[in-house]
Amino acid sequence: YALHAEQASTAPLADVLAAFFDRGLLFDLYVNALLLVLPFLLLGSRALVGYQKVWPVTVARWAWVAPSVFLLFCLCADVPFYDYVNMRLTDLAFDTAQTMRQSLKELVSTPAYLAALLTFIALAWLCMRVSSNWFRAASETENRPAWNTVVWTVGCLLALAVGVRGTWALDDE
């Protein structure tokens, strides 16, 4: 928004905030909830049955990290792309790119894209470090009371269901 504030300058503030919260943030939260379904199933079932092996944690980590890094790449590429052609990356980039080689050549030869690529590398590194800490903590097995595990698993399930659904309202389609 900050890069293209002039485009929203004629729109009322209420419309800008509604677009940000009702469309942009809602969609991002929806996508993140979908990314967390498989890790939740793996880690939640592991916790409920008391399984001690580490492989579900490793699979859950990579099931979350790989799509997250890909989405970070798309985000970092979308900002300079929009600045350059005033169109979203998904609307045009994949339609006009002839080959992957052409796309990569364009990425490293355009200064704005190079800055976005460096930002992507920094964010991807940060994502890997943070997720490593989170999932390392999840792999540590402690003797927790069964009620604690059940309450946390059910609470996470409810939050994830609302996130995937995109709303609290059960009658909303």
Side-chain angles (χ1 to χ4, degrees):
Y1 173 78
L3 295 175
H4 300 282
E6 72 279 355
Q7 292 180 353
S9 63
T10 58
L13 180 61
D15 290 347
V16 172
L17 291 175
F20 174 76
F21 286 107
D22 190 40
R23 291 295 139 229
L25 185 61
L26 182 65
F27 180 74
D28 291 346
L29 292 174
Y30 175 73
V31 169
N32 283 304
L34 287 173
L35 288 178
L36 289 171
V37 169
L38 182 59
F40 168 77
L41 292 174
L42 288 167
L43 298 177
S45 60
R46 178 181 184 261
L48 286 175
V49 299
Y51 192 65
Q52 300 298 320
K53 301 280 185 185
V54 179
W55 72 264
V57 178
T58 304
V59 171
R61 176 182 177 208
W62 287 106
W64 182 77
V65 167
S68 295
V69 168
F70 174 74
L71 291 174
L72 277 174
F73 178 76
C74 290
L75 171 73
C76 289
D78 189 45
V79 171
F81 184 82
Y82 187 83
D83 196 34
Y84 185 64
V85 297
N86 203 27
M87 186 176 276
R88 305 305 315 194
L89 177 70
T90 53
D91 292 342
L92 187 67
F94 297 120
D95 293 336
T96 60
Q98 300 298 319
T99 64
M100 180 63 88
R101 174 183 251 163
Q102 176 189 353
S103 299
L104 290 175
K105 183 179 176 183
E106 189 74 27
L107 180 68
V108 297
S109 65
T110 306
Y113 286 143
L114 193 54
L117 182 62
L118 294 175
T119 302
F120 162 71
I121 291 170
L123 288 174
W125 178 83
L126 183 65
C127 180
M128 297 290 286
R129 294 287 298 175
V130 168
S131 70
S132 177
N133 292 338
W134 287 344
F135 286 96
R136 185 179 304 116
S139 67
E140 295 173 1
T141 55
E142 298 176 11
N143 291 333
R144 295 183 185 112
W147 67 267
N148 188 327
T149 301
V150 170
V151 167
W152 274 102
T153 304
V154 169
C156 290
L157 176 63
L158 291 174
L160 192 58
V162 169
V164 169
R165 176 112 173 89
T167 181
W168 286 102
L170 295 177
D171 60 346
D172 191 22
E173 294 182 23

Coordinates of all heavy atoms in Angstrom, one line a residue, residues 162 165-173:
V162 N -12.0 -22.5 11.9 CA -12.5 -21.1 11.6 C -11.6 -20.5 10.5 O -12.1 -19.8 9.6 CB -12.5 -20.2 12.9 CG1 -12.7 -18.8 12.6 CG2 -13.6 -20.7 13.8
R165 N -12.3 -22.1 7.2 CA -13.7 -21.6 6.8 C -13.7 -20.2 6.4 O -14.4 -19.7 5.5 CB -14.7 -21.9 7.9 CG -16.0 -21.4 7.7 CD -17.0 -22.6 7.6 NE -18.4 -22.1 7.5 CZ -19.0 -21.8 6.4 NH1 -18.4 -21.9 5.3 NH2 -20.2 -21.3 6.4
G166 N -12.8 -19.4 7.1 CA -12.7 -17.9 6.8 C -13.7 -17.1 7.5 O -13.8 -15.9 7.3
T167 N -14.5 -17.7 8.4 CA -15.5 -16.9 9.1 C -16.0 -17.7 10.4 O -15.9 -18.9 10.4 CB -16.7 -16.5 8.3 OG1 -17.6 -15.7 9.0 CG2 -17.4 -17.7 7.7
W168 N -16.5 -16.9 11.3 CA -17.2 -17.6 12.5 C -18.6 -18.0 12.1 O -19.1 -19.0 12.7 CB -17.3 -16.6 13.6 CG -16.1 -16.3 14.4 CD1 -15.3 -15.1 14.2 CD2 -15.4 -17.1 15.3 NE1 -14.2 -15.2 15.0 CE2 -14.2 -16.3 15.7 CE3 -15.6 -18.3 15.9 CZ2 -13.4 -16.8 16.7 CZ3 -14.8 -18.8 16.8 CH2 -13.6 -18.1 17.2
A169 N -19.2 -17.3 11.2 CA -20.6 -17.5 10.9 C -20.8 -18.9 10.2 O -20.3 -19.1 9.1 CB -21.2 -16.4 10.0
L170 N -21.6 -19.7 10.8 CA -21.8 -21.1 10.2 C -22.7 -21.0 9.0 O -22.7 -21.9 8.1 CB -22.4 -22.0 11.2 CG -21.4 -22.3 12.4 CD1 -22.1 -23.2 13.4 CD2 -20.1 -23.0 11.9
D171 N -23.6 -20.0 8.9 CA -24.5 -19.9 7.8 C -24.0 -19.1 6.6 O -24.6 -19.0 5.6 CB -25.9 -19.2 8.3 CG -25.6 -17.8 8.8 OD1 -24.5 -17.5 9.1 OD2 -26.6 -17.1 9.0
D172 N -22.7 -18.6 6.7 CA -22.1 -17.9 5.7 C -21.6 -18.8 4.6 O -20.9 -19.8 4.9 CB -21.0 -17.0 6.2 CG -20.5 -16.0 5.2 OD1 -21.2 -15.7 4.2 OD2 -19.3 -15.6 5.3
E173 N -21.9 -18.6 3.3 CA -21.4 -19.5 2.3 C -20.1 -19.0 1.7 O -19.7 -18.5 0.9 CB -22.5 -19.7 1.3 CG -23.7 -20.4 1.8 CD -24.7 -20.6 0.8 OE1 -24.5 -20.7 -0.4 OE2 -25.9 -20.8 1.2

